[in-house]
Amino acid sequence: MKKQIGNFKTKIMIFTGVLVLGIFCSGFLVNDLDEKVKTAYNLRIGGEVDEAKTLLDQIIDKDSTNAMAWFELARTQHHMMLGGAGYSPENILTSVNKAVHYDMDNVIYAYYQANICFLNAYSSKENTSDYVSKSCEAFENVLKLKPDYKEAILILVEIYGLLPVEMGGDKSEAESYASSLDGLDKFYYEKANAILMAEDADKISYWEKILKANPGNARVMEELGKAYIFNDDIENGMMYMEKAAQLNPENYIPQINMARVYVMMLMQNKGDKEKNLELAQNAFKQYLEENPDEINPLKAYSLGWIAKINGFEGNSEEAKKLSAEAKSLDPYFSRAFGIPPGYLYSSPVDLSDSYSSYFSPF
């Protein structure tokens, strides 16, 4: 009897040891794969996008439940879509949905999923209101995970406040979300109120009053600059955008937007074409000169625009040369007019504070 009990205890010890070893090995494998996902991210940011995707495919082949790998694969597909690789928001959504499925409490993945949901709604030609409804649900899920995620709140203000009712707009919901920003973030609260202002409202006076109360605030200066630009006062608009860029040089958006303003004027046939071409090219060049350590996708995006501008000017050889240089930095650099969203480039383990308007070019 004692021998049987001894054998039984031995079996229990062996089983427990195997179980512990299995859990240890499983954890080690997950950590190892997560490190490889980070390697894939670094490859992509360095312009080696195909290599990044190949590595992510290999990781998912080994562990199809790795949420971080699905998340980074979705962002890689997004990156490639902006470069004309043929992916669609629907493809990206399929991948990020799996990331959220395997890690439901991860707000990083949930925020990206919500943005892609609305990007899918934005690009859809049918059932738009259904897609918008799903987008709002996705952003509301983000707020369940992180109630003070102000960027998600601001996007809901835009969606509910700027869309017509038949497409999912709801002014009362927009106002409620705008009110929730009061006390959470003063600037975002003021921005939410500006979003909900009537189309013909005097936004220049609105932001001037706020700047007077907050002198030297870079974000307020940027908004005032935009207000002037939308009022066709390019000179004052550029002055405030430049001040914003100088006050906060780490924020690249005002710098690139100054170049994009001149491109937009070209697209709208406003002002002197030759002068706008020169100013746009100089602004992109200045951005590159002042940000030598910028990530490859944004360097390539700017070079791509300089190449296009040279093409508009008839400098085809220089355009080809610059385009090739851009592709060498990132073969899938964004060909879109808008600046690629910041959440596309943040680390896969860092919460993004990127907010990009879906209703305004700036």
Side-chain angles (χ1 to χ4, degrees):
M1 185 69 174
K2 288 182 180 179
K3 186 176 181 182
Q4 288 178 333
I5 291 172
N7 288 340
F8 179 72
K9 286 182 177 178
T10 301
K11 288 178 181 179
I12 290 291
M13 289 175 66
I14 292 171
F15 174 76
T16 303
V18 170
L19 182 62
V20 170
L21 182 62
I23 292 170
F24 174 79
C25 289
S26 175
F28 181 79
L29 177 62
V30 169
N31 290 336
D32 183 51
L33 291 179
D34 284 353
E35 287 303 313
K36 286 185 177 179
V37 173
K38 293 175 189 176
T39 298
Y41 161 76
N42 288 325
L43 284 169
R44 177 168 69 86
I45 296 303
E48 298 179 74
V49 186
D50 287 318
E51 292 82 354
K53 186 178 180 303
T54 297
L55 179 55
L56 290 165
D57 288 338
Q58 291 170 353
I59 294 167
I60 290 169
D61 281 343
K62 286 184 179 179
D63 179 8
S64 63
T65 67
N66 189 297
M68 191 191 292
W70 282 113
F71 169 64
E72 188 54 33
L73 178 63
R75 295 202 300 173
T76 302
Q77 291 168 335
H78 189 171
H79 189 137
M80 296 172 82
M81 178 187 74
L82 292 176
Y87 289 101
S88 69
E90 192 172 356
N91 301 141
I92 300 163
L93 197 55
T94 298
S95 296
V96 74
N97 283 349
K98 290 186 178 181
V100 172
H101 173 74
Y102 292 122
D103 192 351
M104 293 183 180
D105 295 329
N106 191 311
V107 69
I108 298 171
Y109 306 162
Y111 182 62
Y112 182 68
Q113 179 196 45
N115 276 281
I116 299 303
C117 275
F118 193 72
L119 187 63
N120 191 39
Y122 191 84
S123 63
S124 67
K125 295 179 180 178
E126 297 178 355
N127 303 318
T128 304
S129 61
D130 292 339
Y131 287 129
V132 169
S133 178
K134 289 177 182 177
S135 302
C136 291
E137 287 176 12
F139 279 111
E140 285 159 1
N141 181 58
V142 172
L143 296 178
K144 288 177 184 176
L145 297 171
K146 184 174 170 54
D148 62 347
Y149 206 150
K150 56 186 183 290
E151 287 79 15
I153 296 172
L154 196 58
I155 292 174
L156 283 169
V157 171
E158 272 204 324
I159 295 173
Y160 281 126
L162 299 181
L163 284 179
V165 174
E166 62 271 19
M167 290 181 67
D170 186 327
K171 291 288 184 184
S172 62
E173 281 289 317
E175 289 166 359
S176 176
Y177 278 113
S179 295
S180 72
L181 287 165
D182 191 13
L184 181 61
D185 187 295
K186 186 66 174 172
F187 170 75
Y188 273 75
Y189 174 63
E190 289 159 345
K191 189 169 173 64
N193 288 331
I195 288 169
L196 297 179
M197 290 170 72
E199 194 172 332
D200 60 351
D202 187 354
K203 291 189 179 181
I204 292 175
S205 295
Y206 175 79
W207 286 110
E208 281 180 335
K209 184 179 178 181
I210 294 169
L211 183 61
K212 189 174 181 180
N214 301 271
N217 187 303
R219 295 192 296 179
V220 175
M221 283 187 180
E222 184 181 353
E223 293 303 316
L224 179 55
K226 291 177 190 177
Y228 272 113
I229 288 163
F230 287 129
N231 203 44
D232 287 332
D233 186 342
I234 305 302
E235 185 177 350
N236 276 315
M238 288 301 195
M239 179 184 71
Y240 282 107
M241 294 283 272
E242 189 166 352
K243 284 183 178 180
Q246 290 170 350
L247 285 168
N248 186 10
E250 291 182 4
N251 181 7
Y252 61 84
I253 291 176
Q255 294 178 308
I256 297 182
N257 273 340
M258 284 188 281
R260 291 175 65 242
V261 167
Y262 295 119
V263 173
M264 187 176 74
M265 290 176 70
L266 285 165
M267 293 165 69
Q268 296 176 344
N269 293 315
K270 290 182 178 179
D272 181 86
K273 179 182 175 182
E274 296 304 317
K275 187 67 175 175
N276 285 335
L277 283 168
E278 180 186 355
L279 289 169
Q281 182 168 189
N282 289 342
F284 277 119
K285 284 181 177 179
Q286 182 179 347
Y287 164 70
L288 289 171
E289 288 169 4
E290 292 179 356
N291 297 274
D293 298 324
E294 188 57 274
I295 60 173
N296 278 14
L298 289 175
K299 278 185 181 179
Y301 168 79
S302 299
L303 276 171
W305 269 112
I306 297 173
K308 285 180 187 177
I309 291 165
N310 272 271
F312 296 152
E313 292 175 327
N315 303 326
S316 57
E317 288 305 313
E318 183 66 12
K320 287 179 183 177
K321 176 185 171 184
L322 289 165
S323 183
E325 187 179 346
K327 287 179 182 178
S328 71
L329 288 170
D330 179 358
Y332 298 100
F333 71 87
S334 175
R335 272 68 164 181
F337 174 66
I339 303 172
Y343 55 71
L344 191 58
Y345 303 133
S346 56
S347 163
V349 295
D350 288 339
L351 191 64
S352 173
D353 61 358
S354 170
Y355 160 78
S356 298
S357 174
Y358 289 100
F359 297 86
S360 173
F362 301 106

